[in-house]
Amino acid sequence: YVDFWATWCGPCIQESPHFESLSKEYAGKDIVFLPVSTDTNNKAWKRFITAHKKQLSQYNSVDKTMHSGWSIYYIPRFVLIDKDFNIVSAYAPRPSNPEAKEMIDSLLK
């Protein structure tokens, strides 16, 4: 479950606790929660991560190929990928939406 987000994005910040909570709920299961910041200001991103003490490993990418190849034109954007690296949903539900758990549960069966 990939979360494309940025420190300046209000809806992204609102979803972050839900993303972290789901990651704890599914700890030990065959799923990875991957937060990827799209911040272009690396120092601001690092300050934010330090100040907010995130539980998940955090990543930052400004790779234009990734953004165009994955059509990341707006955030927050959630992508659900199966264990064979097939995209199940390029526009997966936000973690605050109960449908996110339903999709994850269906993949883990």
Side-chain angles (χ1 to χ4, degrees):
Y1 193 31
V2 184
D3 173 11
F4 291 99
W5 69 286
T7 59
W8 49 263
C9 168
C12 298
I13 304 307
Q14 290 173 340
E15 288 298 321
S16 181
H18 299 284
F19 194 74
E20 295 252 344
S21 178
L22 277 181
S23 75
K24 291 176 187 171
E25 187 174 334
Y26 286 95
K29 306 263 177 158
D30 194 17
I31 185 168
V32 174
F33 289 79
L34 184 67
V36 180
S37 166
T38 60
D39 279 276
T40 55
N41 183 329
N42 197 270
K43 288 182 183 179
W45 171 71
K46 286 182 179 179
R47 277 194 308 268
F48 182 89
I49 297 303
T50 301
H52 290 87
K53 299 181 179 31
K54 298 293 186 180
Q55 298 292 317
L56 293 168
S57 295
Q58 300 291 314
Y59 301 92
N60 178 259
S61 177
V62 293
D63 181 348
K64 292 189 186 305
T65 304
M66 179 193 73
H67 290 250
S68 63
W70 284 59
S71 300
I72 308 299
Y73 300 121
Y74 65 86
I75 54 175
R77 170 86 177 277
F78 298 91
V79 179
L80 190 58
I81 303 168
D82 71 12
K83 65 181 179 176
D84 296 317
F85 298 100
N86 298 307
I87 295 175
V88 173
S89 178
Y91 299 91
R94 292 179 180 199
S96 62
N97 184 331
E99 289 180 25
K101 283 182 64 170
E102 292 171 13
M103 287 185 90
I104 292 168
D105 290 342
S106 72
L107 282 178
L108 294 177
K109 287 183 181 181

